[in-house]
Every structure is written in C-alpha cells, then in structure tokens.
Amino acid sequence: MLAEFLTDWPMWASLVVVCAAIGFYMADRWSMELVSVCVIAALLVLFTLPGAHGEDGAPITAQDLLSGFGNPALITIMALLVVGQGLFQTGALEGPTKALLSGYDRRPMLTLLLAFFAVFAISAFVNNTPIVIMFLPVMSAIAQRMKTPASRLMMPLSFISIFAGMTTLIGTSTNLLAAEAFQRIDGRQLGFFDQTPMGLILAAAGMIYLLIFSRFLLPMREGLTEDMAPTSSKQFLAQIEVTHGHFLEGKKPVAGMFLDLPDMTVRMIQRGERAFLPPYEDLALQPGDLVIVAATRGAIQNVLARQPDFLQQVWQAAGGDLDEGGRPRRLSLTEAVIAPGSRMVGRTVEMLGFRRLTRAVTLGIQRRSRMIRSKLGEIRLESGDTLLMCGPPDAFLELRQSRDLILLEWSQTEIPLTGKALAPRIIALILVVTAASGILSILHASVLGAVAMLVTGCLNYRQASRSLDLRIFLVIGAALAMGMALEKTGAAGMIAHSVVNLASPFGTLAVLSSLFLAVALLTNLLSNAATAILFSPIALSAAAELHVADPLPFLLAVIYGANCSFATPIAYQTNMLVMGPGHYRFGDFVRFGGPLVFVLWCVFTLFASWRFDL
C-alpha cells in the first residue's frame, strides 16, 4: 500500500492542490486572481520535482499546465466579452430591452418569465455564452425596475441557459464530444433530440428549484450599481435650446407634457424676453426657444442616447471639437460637486467660461435647497451644488486635481453612440447564425466578431481591453491547469472507475445514478468538456460489463451530469460571465448551485427507470 502510494504521489498531490484551491476560493479571504496565480505556481513547482510524472510515465511539462491560457474555450470567452462590450457601448440592445420592458409595469412577472423563456429557447439551439452576454443588460434593467439587487437574477440567468443545453444535441459542445465518443466506440450516432425528454424533465425540476429557493439562498448583495441607485432620484435643472431641424421643433404639449421629453418636467420655456410657465396650452416650440427642464440624470442620458445628433450639437455649440477623423467624439457623463471655498461660488457657468476652463459642458445643475426657474447660464453657483457634466473621458482626468470641483469619478459613464447600433446588431446576428449552423466554429465566429467590432468603430481599443476581465482569464486558466493535472496523473480516471465498481453490485439503475452524481460533482472541478471526454468511454464500458442491450442511457447520464455545472463559478463560462454583474462570491455558487446539483441527481434517479425502461 505504501509503495503504491509512493508511486502515485503526483496523483495525490494534485488532488491536494485542487482541494486546497477550492477551499481558498470558498474562504473568500483573498482575491480569486491571487488564488488562481498561486494554484498555477503550485502546480508548476509540483511537476518540477523528481519523480513527478503522469499516469503513463511521461512528464507533465509547464507547457501542458499553461496550455489552458491558449485553450479555444478561453479565447472564445474573451472574444465574446469584446462583442458584448460593443453591443453595450453602442446601445444596440437598448431597443430590444425597452421593447421587452415596455410591458413590465402592467405585467411584471410575465415580462420576467418571458425573458427567461427566451434565454431557454434560444440557448437550446445556440451556444449559450453569447446569449447570456446579450441578456445581461436586460436582467440588469429588470432588476432596477424591481428595485432588487442584480444578484437575484444573474445566477438564474446562467443556470437557465445551462438547463437548455441539456435538451438538444447542439445545446453545448459537451453533448457533441459525448456523441463523438458514442459513434467512435459503439458505432451509433446520437440523435438531435435523443436527450430531449429527460432533459426537459431535469430543466423543469431545475426551474422549480430556482422559483422556490432563489428568494432564500441567493444573496441580497449591494454592489456598485445599487450604490449608485439613490443618486438616480436627484433632479438636475437642464436647458435645451431648440434650433432648426431640432427634434423638438414644432412639438406641442399633450396634457401639459412634451412626449419627446419623457420623465422630464418642463419648468419654463424662454422665448426671447418672454417666459412661459406651466400649464402650457397651444404652445408650439420654435427655433430659439430655451426649454428649462427638471430631470434625473437617467432621463437626461436617455434623451441624449436616443438623439445622438442632439448631443453632438450641444457639444459643438459649446465650442467642442471633433476627433482626428472629423467624427463626433465619444462623450461621457459625470457629476462634480462645487467644493467649499471654491472660486466658482457666486459666479455663473457663462462667467466662468466653463467649457474653456474644464473642456467639458455643463448640462445640468442640482441644488437641494430650492426649486430654480431660470436659464442655466444665469444661475450663480453655490457650495454643494452638483453639476452634471459632459465631455471626452480624458477631460475628466485633468479635473482630478482641481480644488474647486470634487469629481465623483464613480458616476462617470460613457454615452452610447446609438447611431451605430445597426452595425453591432448585424455582427452579433452573423456570429450567432454562423456558429449555430456550423458554418464557423464558435471560436472563429467570436474572434471575427470581436475584430469586426473594432474595425467598424463600435468600440475603441481602450474599451475593448477594459472588457477583457483579468479575473475570468486567470480563474479559467487555473481551472484548466487543475483539470490537466487530474487527468494526466490518473486522479480523474481513478475517481470514475471507483464509482462504477462500487455501484455495479446494486444493479443498472445504481450505476446510472452513481455515474450521474460522479460526473456532476467532477464537472464543477474540471471543465465539462474534459469530464464528458473522460467519462463517456467509462460509461459505455460499464454498460458492456453489465450486458445492457442499449448503452444510450449510460451516455445520456454522462451528458446530463456534465451539464450540472452549477456549484462553482469556474464550472462553466456563463457562471463566470454573471459573477461580476451579480456581485457574487465563490461561496454563493456553492450555497445556491450545490443543492441544485443534488436535486437534479434525485430527479434523474427517480425518472431514469421509467424513461429508460430499467
């Protein structure tokens, strides 16, 4: 026994490293990036020791362990993040999101269910990673309308897309890998809908679990989005000048409200020397009118995003320049507070020459003490006033050192250039169609999509690099390195064969159930693709040893188990994608996704005898 242990010590050492990594991830005392780097370093050191080799006696090199950083799955995820950033920067999803949310006030629960149903229906036939990316802003918007943290919706979004992957042959690449093993070993092809009946049963059970337990087990964690939420109710006084060809020219109020200025209160209309106060009746706006409105930052930003020409007009009218190519600049919104003792106190924006002084345009002023009805340029600034400023991002970098303004950097957001929304929609559609139809692999389609986003100007290189999440890159790379160590040293194979040998005396159903559970647990440590490749031959050989007439149920047990990647964020790429927007920690997936794995195992065990006539 001791001699065998000494011979197989690399296998046991790899298991120790993996267990330690999971423990450190769950402890959440150190960042996931730091833990991931330490895991990779530990494995590199481990396999440089004398006698450290794989199961076949071949050495496990640094190239083997670091190959995960060049893994097609990881490159695909990075490319899809760039595509998702392009969709976000251009506001390409704003229209579909608003269409979906238009009925939220009347039927909130139906809207949420429709969104989840759309994710499930599309993910059954299309790689679910881009689908999750496309629905992230939708779920964020629904969470804001529900006045609930995004953490209550993001994990269910990922899990529902994974449920859908269980239902068809092309739902995930895992299914295709298992089908390839089935054809190679048994000479049979897995049908497109062979896994659908049991897959739908498991998906239904999973959705019931989400519906019941999400309110108890999911965290109510306040993140950056929620921290900013209280400021969304602040009312800024803003000024809109109507010019020739302006979107407000000739517009009349309906019941005292201007429909082209949603969620805004028009406090005054200045026409020459005459000021019109509400209520407004039979008043058509003319060029030269100044419309003084009170609105939240969100309402102002929505109007600017819908009317990019108006935004550029405001910018250039204040003396703003174009970029090097003569095109409108990318502009950002941010808030700044007039500091106590500031030289700006008592002076107006026009007196200060604010555009020349700060390279930014003041769009609105917020003052808590009283309601203001006057032109923006006539308001004398007071200490504590909050200015809503618009300008190029580099202009705000220069204001960090200002003693007159306190820049609220957390509030800075870029205004989407919705005039370019068509190009990213076409790119995303081509990506999905070519990947789903098999014209291109998901890797090639996603990389070409990312390049197209850059070439067409949907986002610049700085925005693209900002979308490449270092945490996702390091965590997935470390997970693939751990999977490589377990596979090469024979640890994964030992676990698989032990499960089959222990369950075989108790009959076919016990072996099926044990296979499902072993695969479901291991898929949360290895990648689901590696688990499917590893267990498919084992499952088919187990069926042969038990003299089962049809080995298909054994293969399906592997497929369903490999798709149970709910218990860790490293189990599947969609879990990593929702981790940031949902403000999740490693332990949140264990707490909510871990029980789900066992629920699906129980449901599979209960229905397998009926479904497969065992």
Side-chain angles (χ1 to χ4, degrees):
M1 179 70 70
L2 181 60
E4 183 178 347
F5 175 81
L6 292 175
T7 303
D8 295 333
W9 72 264
M11 178 183 72
W12 299 108
S14 299
L15 285 171
V16 169
V17 171
V18 171
C19 293
I22 295 171
F24 283 119
Y25 280 135
M26 292 183 63
D28 206 29
R29 290 186 60 187
W30 298 276
S31 68
M32 295 185 72
E33 297 95 318
L34 177 61
V35 174
S36 301
V37 170
C38 291
V39 166
I40 294 169
L43 291 173
L44 288 172
V45 171
L46 172 64
F47 289 103
T48 57
L49 298 176
H53 51 73
E55 185 181 21
D56 57 359
I60 300 177
T61 64
Q63 185 177 359
D64 293 329
L65 295 172
L66 298 177
S67 62
F69 290 105
N71 187 282
L74 182 55
I75 303 301
T76 299
I77 293 171
M78 294 293 111
L80 288 172
L81 287 172
V82 174
V83 173
Q85 185 75 0
L87 291 168
F88 171 76
Q89 288 293 337
T90 56
L93 296 176
E94 185 176 334
T97 300
K98 287 186 176 180
L100 182 62
L101 295 176
S102 60
Y104 182 86
D105 294 329
R106 298 188 302 274
R107 303 181 186 88
M109 189 53 63
L110 179 61
T111 301
L112 181 61
L113 292 176
L114 282 175
F116 280 132
F117 176 77
V119 172
F120 183 87
I122 300 172
S123 296
F125 301 96
V126 177
N127 182 278
N128 51 12
T129 303
I131 304 306
V132 170
I133 288 178
M134 292 175 68
F135 273 86
L136 280 174
V138 176
M139 291 303 163
S140 295
I142 291 178
Q144 289 180 358
R145 298 289 285 274
M146 292 173 64
K147 294 182 171 57
T148 187
S151 59
R152 304 303 293 268
L153 296 180
M154 292 301 175
M155 205 182 294
L157 170 64
S158 174
F159 289 179
I160 285 176
S161 73
I162 296 173
F163 293 154
M166 298 182 181
T167 59
T168 66
L169 177 62
I170 63 171
T172 65
S173 58
T174 307
N175 306 344
L176 296 171
L177 292 170
E180 187 275 333
F182 191 41
Q183 184 173 18
R184 185 182 71 251
I185 297 172
D186 205 61
R188 292 171 54 187
Q189 286 190 343
L190 184 64
F192 194 91
F193 293 109
D194 280 349
Q195 63 198 70
T196 302
M198 180 61 81
L200 290 175
I201 292 172
L202 294 174
M207 289 179 185
I208 293 172
Y209 173 88
L210 297 183
L211 187 64
I212 297 174
F213 292 99
S214 59
R215 65 187 67 184
F216 305 115
L217 297 179
L218 280 175
M220 289 283 289
R221 185 164 298 121
E222 299 292 328
L224 178 61
T225 304
E226 288 75 31
D227 291 341
M228 293 170 57
T231 67
S232 63
S233 60
K234 290 194 302 187
Q235 294 279 322
F236 288 91
L237 186 75
Q239 175 178 295
I240 301 174
E241 181 180 0
V242 181
T243 58
H244 289 285
H246 195 278
F247 72 97
L248 288 178
E249 183 180 2
K251 299 296 183 181
K252 294 183 178 181
V254 177
M257 303 290 290
F258 288 89
L259 301 182
D260 292 270
L261 299 174
D263 304 319
M264 291 186 177
T265 302
V266 179
R267 288 188 173 173
M268 183 177 74
I269 298 174
Q270 185 78 31
R271 179 174 294 170
E273 299 298 323
R274 184 179 179 185
F276 295 90
L277 299 178
Y280 308 104
E281 297 178 359
D282 298 326
L283 177 67
L285 295 177
Q286 302 173 3
D289 287 350
L290 295 178
V291 183
I292 313 300
V293 300
T296 64
R297 171 179 172 165
I300 295 173
Q301 186 164 342
N302 286 339
V303 169
L304 295 177
R306 289 201 324 269
Q307 304 287 341
D309 293 338
F310 168 53
L311 172 62
Q312 297 299 330
Q313 180 189 42
V314 171
W315 172 248
Q316 293 178 49
D321 53 349
L322 303 175
D323 66 10
E324 294 80 358
R327 295 165 299 187
R329 280 188 177 275
R330 290 185 178 274
L331 301 175
S332 296
L333 285 184
T334 195
E335 298 175 26
V337 178
I338 304 296
S342 170
R343 292 171 296 176
M344 297 181 177
V345 173
R347 306 173 72 181
T348 67
V349 173
E350 290 182 356
M351 290 169 60
L352 289 168
F354 206 82
R355 166 71 187 86
R356 176 184 53 78
L357 186 67
T358 64
R359 294 182 56 223
V361 175
T362 300
L363 295 181
I365 299 175
Q366 187 265 336
R367 181 173 296 168
R368 297 182 184 275
S369 59
R370 61 187 181 274
M371 180 184 295
I372 306 173
R373 276 197 176 99
S374 59
K375 292 189 290 185
L376 202 64
E378 297 176 352
I379 300 174
R380 293 187 178 271
L381 300 176
E382 297 180 2
S383 176
D385 284 352
T386 302
L387 307 182
L388 181 62
M389 299 175 10
C390 172
D394 58 337
F396 300 127
L397 295 177
E398 301 170 6
L399 289 177
R400 288 179 176 177
Q401 307 301 322
S402 174
R403 296 183 180 180
D404 298 310
L405 284 172
I406 302 172
L407 192 67
L408 305 180
E409 293 191 62
W410 55 264
S411 69
Q412 184 172 336
T413 56
E414 291 198 25
I415 302 173
L417 296 177
T418 52
K420 288 189 174 182
L422 181 61
R425 288 173 184 168
I426 293 174
I427 292 170
L429 180 63
I430 293 174
L431 187 158
V432 171
V433 170
T434 54
S437 61
I439 297 174
L440 292 174
S441 68
I442 184 64
L443 170 64
H444 291 84
S446 58
V447 170
L448 290 175
V451 171
M453 288 287 183
L454 290 167
V455 170
T456 56
C458 297
L459 72 170
N460 56 37
Y461 297 107
R462 180 178 56 81
Q463 293 163 338
S465 62
R466 195 171 60 200
S467 69
L468 299 175
D469 195 325
L470 180 63
R471 179 173 60 175
I472 293 178
F473 186 75
L474 288 175
V475 171
I476 294 180
L480 292 170
M482 289 187 286
M484 177 69 69
L486 291 179
E487 189 174 347
K488 291 277 189 178
T489 59
M494 179 199 69
I495 295 170
H497 286 291
S498 299
V499 169
V500 173
N501 292 335
L502 285 173
S504 55
F506 300 98
T508 305
L509 180 59
V511 174
L512 267 183
S513 178
S514 300
L515 267 175
F516 183 101
L517 182 61
V519 174
L521 293 176
L522 204 57
T523 196
N524 286 283
L525 305 178
L526 299 169
S527 70
N528 51 5
T531 309
I533 293 171
L534 179 66
F535 271 88
S536 294
I538 295 172
L540 294 174
S541 62
E545 291 174 13
L546 293 172
H547 304 291
V548 176
D550 186 5
L552 179 60
F554 287 78
L555 184 77
L556 294 180
V558 172
I559 289 176
Y560 298 137
N563 280 290
C564 288
S565 44
F566 310 114
T568 64
I570 62 176
Y572 196 61
Q573 53 260 39
T574 57
N575 292 351
M576 293 298 301
L577 288 172
V578 302
M579 196 170 182
H583 316 295
Y584 296 122
R585 299 169 184 161
F586 193 96
D588 295 329
F589 283 87
V590 178
R591 188 180 307 109
F592 185 63
L596 177 57
V597 173
F598 287 97
V599 167
L600 296 187
W601 170 55
C602 293
V603 171
F604 176 82
T605 304
L606 182 65
F607 284 90
S609 57
W610 164 76
R611 171 68 183 93
F612 303 122
D613 297 325
L614 299 178

